[in-house]
Amino acid sequence: MKTIGKPISRLDGTWKVTGSAHYAADVVRPGLTHAVIVGATIPAGEIISIDTKTAEAGAGVIKVLTYQNVPKLAGPLDSPPAGQKMMPLQSPVVTFEGEPVAVVIAETLEEATEAAKHVRVDYRAAPFVTDYLQRRDQAIEVAGFFPNDTKVGDVAAALAMADRSVTEIYRTSDRHHNAMEPAASVAEWRNGELFLTTATQGVQGNRAVLAQLFAVEPKRIHVNVDFVGGGFGCKGWLWPHQALCAVAAREVGRPVKLVLQRSQDFTSHGYQPATEQTVSLGAKSDGTLTAVRHGSLNPTSIKDDYMETCATASRPLYATPNIESSSRAVRVNRNVPTPMRAPHEGPGLVGIEIAMDELAYALNLDPLELRLRNYAEKDPTDGRPFSAKRLRECYTEGARRFGWSRRTMAPGSMKEGNDLIGWGMATAIMQTFRQPAKARASIDTDGLVTIEGSTQEIGTGSVTIAIQIAAEVLNLPVERVQLKWGNTDLPDAPMTAGSTTTLSFGSAVHDAASKLRDKLKTLAGSEELAPEAYGEWVRRSGATSLVVDGEWAPGGDSDAIGQPKTKALNSYGAVFVEVRIDRDLLIPRVVRGVGVYNAGRIINPKTAHSQMIGGFTWGIGQALLEHTPMDHRLGRYLSKNFAGALVPVNADVPALDVSFVEEPDFESSVLGARGIGELGATAVGPAIANAVFHATGKRVRELPIRPEMLL
Ligand code: MOS
């Protein structure tokens, strides 16, 4: 039965609209109590005294936890990538506004919320800095997923010799994930074992960090999640509020529910940090690139490390003999940033792809033509050939669908009525992350197949896709296959992050299902086994079910993110947009968007399409709306709510034309799939910025673009 490649609707769609899908905050346990976090009101200093008496005397209050009565937890932890190094309530020192200083546990949420208002904290305030650009001179190296520095050839010499060059500074803004579901956890200890239901993208990572934190064996920690109402990276790590929920449950000896308020979401997990990127490009007069240099800077917190490695985007992008990159971070009094949908490439392409547009204008060369003339046949930074790269077809097909050949080069040359029209484009790229994964497959005497693995469903279609893969291998309709997921007691699957689930967990499912099929064929002694007879063969074997274990891992020569030494695995795309700008209002509106993507074999065209239009929408937000402003005098976010944090709504998003250039990439995975989800959130921001320049002649080098920048 052909199931892979079919546009099957998400199975969880029905469960969600009928209310049968459960989220962490829906969990109710006998004797459940409720916890509310009290956050620091200053960004730096020390607690002099905490008065919890009034709070403790409040109706229904069971306990108030502060650094004075929380037992010492392990730390610093050896994470990231699974969590922060530092956990809260371990000292009186405050390093950012919103940092937890107390947790109130009460019989009801209302009682805990009320009592939390009466926890009185006196601080000795200390000087602070929240604006990372004030501390450029104190930039440091912190560890990230990628090398901070790379260097090939002599960029300085090549720039000096170049016929044309561009050196500019580009900035992106702090953005929050703003998931619809705020962070939520329910923790319970039974016989020294922790049972935690929590909104997470990674149950196994949460378990690993909690085990370290409480110094207990990992197998005594059980983390569970059925559904996640939006992750986008902010539910990847184990965050302090989840740890505090577990601490609270242990201290009161009862189950505890902790759901963050919307405002607390802004400071209780990470955000996508602002970046300042300096890009230099050098070229011959025919457009041949001779030099690429990409530097970036981002804020990180006082105690924890996060590196937004922007040059991850530019390192494999264009052929050039001289290429250099470097990333640095600056410590400020803020919560630590974290990956957010298309980390690294998402912000990084803003720098390199606006710079490419600037170079195209300096050369008077069509921006698409400039990219085609510098098409990379191997990774210019490390020389690895690419696996199954079909970016050229993405450019050609995207240009055709968009009608790019009708574009006139001069800024302001395309108008209609009062509208300035701008057409812009950019290249999309994202490194493919590959992670080891396991899955178990079983079949019962009715022929019903169950796949098990600890993967998560964060709304991207992972459950549907896993079932599709197993159904295809076993030649069954999807209705005959079910999946158990989202629990640490199931076979290990990676965090649902880095756009790796389909190819990594999916490959383990493929392996498990293949082994189950082989076992059935052996039982039947026939290659020609009809799926209708599966249950019968299980019955005849005398067992109630057959069970097999499957697994998949990137090859032995792969690095920590799963990139092989011999091949560069990336997914690609070309994005074209039309903006219209009323010349009196100067509000850019995206009216048309085309994205053509190449991510290996597409397992489910419907969920893949949804991921790309979702990503496109993130890009519109990055370009025109999303920005979490800080008040640097008070050292806090200005608006911790949806009224003050703009995100694109339906009216901001036109019908988008997204499609795929498909070619199975078996160097990436047995499925032929590569990384896909986050690819859609790349390239759209710079394409829009380039379109705004084309419409107006104003080169804006800072996102989001606001009307006042176009005056
Ligand atoms: Mo994603 S930002 O890797 O969850």
Side-chain angles (χ1 to χ4, degrees):
M1 191 158 307
K2 193 85 194 95
T3 312
I4 290 179
K6 286 254 167 68
I8 295 175
S9 294
R10 273 163 45 187
L11 303 169
D12 48 314
T14 312
W15 306 331
K16 284 171 179 171
V17 298
T18 56
S20 65
H22 287 140
Y23 295 81
D26 296 329
V27 171
V28 177
R29 302 286 309 148
L32 185 66
T33 66
H34 298 263
V36 168
I37 290 176
V38 179
T41 53
I42 60 163
E46 193 161 340
I47 298 169
I48 304 169
S49 69
I50 306 188
D51 182 354
T52 58
K53 284 196 195 65
T54 315
E56 278 160 349
V61 174
I62 300 162
K63 197 164 180 113
V64 179
L65 298 173
T66 70
Y67 81 94
Q68 291 166 327
N69 62 355
V70 163
K72 192 85 191 127
L73 301 167
L77 306 165
D78 35 318
S79 42
Q84 291 192 194
K85 284 191 293 187
M86 302 308 301
M87 283 292 151
L89 299 194
Q90 297 294 295
S91 94
V93 176
V94 170
T95 58
F96 62 91
E97 191 268 345
E99 183 170 355
V101 293
V103 179
V104 178
I105 305 118
E107 296 290 343
T108 69
L109 175 61
E110 292 73 14
E111 288 164 343
T113 305
E114 178 59 24
K117 294 178 195 158
H118 300 287
V119 175
R120 197 190 146 82
V121 186
D122 288 320
Y123 302 95
R124 184 182 303 114
F128 63 89
V129 172
T130 51
D131 181 3
Y132 77 114
L133 296 177
Q134 280 182 24
R135 283 192 177 163
R136 271 195 202 84
D137 57 327
Q138 294 168 43
I140 54 167
E141 283 201 66
V142 300
F145 283 109
F146 307 101
N148 290 333
D149 293 356
T150 61
K151 188 176 187 325
V152 174
D154 187 341
V155 167
L159 284 172
M161 302 266 297
D163 293 332
R164 288 280 185 283
S165 67
V166 168
T167 294
E168 294 291 349
I169 293 175
Y170 304 90
R171 295 196 184 95
T172 62
S173 297
D174 296 313
R175 306 156 76 196
H176 274 76
H177 308 71
N178 287 322
M180 286 300 289
E181 177 202 32
S185 304
V186 176
E188 181 174 12
W189 292 82
R190 294 198 298 263
N191 305 321
E193 304 207 0
L194 171 64
F195 296 82
L196 178 72
T197 298
T198 184
T200 182
Q201 295 172 238
V203 291
Q204 301 289 4
N206 282 8
R207 163 191 264 181
V209 180
L210 287 164
Q212 219 192 332
L213 194 66
F214 291 110
V216 297
E217 287 171 281
K219 68 170 195 241
R220 301 179 80 81
I221 308 259
H222 312 269
V223 182
N224 182 72
V225 63
D226 290 358
F227 295 98
V228 177
F232 319 121
C234 74
K235 291 165 182 161
W237 289 7
L238 189 280
W239 291 99
H241 55 86
Q242 294 163 293
L244 287 176
C245 186
V247 168
R250 197 178 60 172
E251 293 308 303
V252 301
R254 286 169 62 181
V256 172
K257 182 183 286 189
L258 196 161
V259 182
L260 292 183
Q261 293 155 14
R262 175 59 60 191
S263 62
Q264 293 178 323
D265 242 19
F266 282 76
T267 52
S268 301
H269 58 64
Y271 58 96
Q272 182 174 78
T275 64
E276 180 174 84
Q277 305 173 44
T278 308
V279 180
S280 295
L281 301 175
K284 295 183 192 163
S285 54
D286 67 358
T288 309
L289 273 175
T290 52
V292 173
R293 181 188 282 146
H294 195 169
S296 71
L297 195 64
N298 67 264
T300 187
S301 72
I302 300 292
K303 291 181 183 169
D304 266 283
D305 298 345
Y306 180 73
M307 185 68 92
E308 193 75 43
T309 317
C310 288
T312 303
S314 55
R315 282 172 192 156
L317 201 54
Y318 299 115
T320 179
N322 305 291
I323 180 166
E324 263 180 42
S325 67
S326 90
S327 293
R328 294 291 182 273
V330 174
R331 296 212 184 278
V332 289
N333 293 92
R334 300 180 54 183
N335 48 319
V336 66
T338 201
M340 184 173 116
R341 198 139 179 90
H344 317 297
E345 287 94 340
L349 282 167
V350 171
I352 184 76
E353 285 297 274
I354 300 178
M356 282 295 279
D357 203 68
E358 300 209 49
L359 182 64
Y361 276 89
L363 292 158
N364 194 28
L365 191 64
D366 177 83
L368 174 57
E369 180 58 28
L370 176 63
R371 286 160 173 93
L372 287 167
R373 286 193 190 174
N374 294 288
Y375 195 81
E377 301 291 354
K378 59 182 171 54
D379 188 311
T381 300
D382 58 28
R384 288 177 303 164
F386 299 115
S387 71
K389 176 178 179 180
R390 298 281 298 273
L391 174 58
R392 203 186 299 278
E393 291 87 337
C394 296
Y395 286 135
T396 319
E397 177 62 7
R400 188 190 68 76
R401 294 176 91 101
F402 188 83
W404 184 257
S405 62
R406 297 196 311 275
R407 180 181 186 267
T408 53
M409 182 82 181
S413 62
M414 295 172 72
K415 297 171 207 162
E416 193 180 301
N418 215 35
D419 278 350
L420 302 168
I421 297 174
W423 288 7
M425 61 84 57
T427 310
I429 192 166
M430 196 184 61
Q431 279 206 40
T432 289
F433 278 65
R434 301 187 304 164
Q435 296 295 318
K438 293 180 178 163
R440 186 176 300 131
S442 60
I443 186 164
D444 66 15
T445 51
D446 292 330
L448 187 70
V449 171
T450 302
I451 305 292
E452 296 171 81
S454 70
T455 192
Q456 297 75 208
E457 175 54 85
I458 65 170
T460 48
S462 305
V463 166
T464 311
I465 285 166
I467 287 174
Q468 255 181 291
I469 292 166
E472 165 131 339
V473 172
L474 288 155
N475 201 17
L476 288 169
V478 289
E479 294 75 24
R480 302 298 293 160
V481 181
Q482 61 174 4
L483 181 75
K484 288 187 182 163
W485 76 91
N487 194 296
T488 40
D489 299 335
L490 299 171
D492 276 24
M495 188 189 289
T496 303
S499 304
T500 196
T501 300
T502 294
L503 81 89
S504 298
F505 180 64
S507 293
V509 171
H510 186 275
D511 185 54
S514 302
K515 285 175 175 157
L516 188 62
R517 181 198 55 202
D518 293 347
K519 196 159 183 173
L520 284 161
K521 283 181 178 172
T522 308
L523 269 182
S526 163
E527 279 298 308
E528 307 297 316
L529 179 59
E532 298 74 26
Y534 287 169
E536 176 61 24
W537 283 103
V538 177
R539 252 195 313 278
R540 284 198 214 171
S541 77
T544 52
S545 67
L546 296 183
V547 186
V548 297
D549 286 309
E551 64 187 328
W552 182 84
D557 70 335
S558 297
D559 65 14
I561 69 160
Q563 282 278 326
K565 290 206 172 57
T566 48
K567 278 281 162 78
L569 306 180
N570 305 286
S571 288
Y572 311 91
V575 168
F576 298 82
V577 296
E578 175 176 331
V579 299
R580 288 189 176 230
I581 305 175
D582 181 293
R583 70 176 77 238
D584 297 320
L585 299 175
L586 297 179
I587 300 171
R589 288 176 295 118
V590 178
V591 298
R592 219 152 59 83
V594 171
V596 179
Y597 302 97
N598 167 228
R601 186 182 185 197
I602 302 303
I603 307 298
N604 182 329
K606 190 168 191 172
T607 56
H609 180 270
S610 294
Q611 287 296 295
M612 295 303 102
I613 60 174
F616 215 114
T617 304
W618 280 92
I620 293 172
Q622 180 189 44
L624 302 175
L625 297 165
E626 285 178 68
H627 175 204
T628 314
M630 287 212 89
D631 184 328
H632 292 302
R633 293 160 311 156
L634 296 175
R636 52 158 283 162
Y637 295 112
L638 206 51
S639 318
K640 299 179 193 169
N641 53 50
F642 281 166
L646 298 180
V647 295
V649 297
N650 279 338
D652 298 309
V653 185
L656 300 168
D657 172 13
V658 311
S659 58
F660 295 93
V661 173
E662 258 198 84
E663 179 182 319
D665 186 344
F666 293 111
E667 291 182 281
S668 165
S669 66
V670 59
L671 291 170
R674 278 198 307 259
I676 178 166
E678 294 171 294
L679 179 64
T682 72
V684 176
I688 293 172
N690 294 339
V692 167
F693 172 76
H694 183 234
T696 64
K698 280 255 185 199
R699 182 61 75 178
V700 180
R701 302 187 179 92
E702 180 177 343
L703 303 186
I705 298 169
R706 278 91 81 191
E708 66 268 23
M709 296 169 167
L710 302 175
L711 284 172

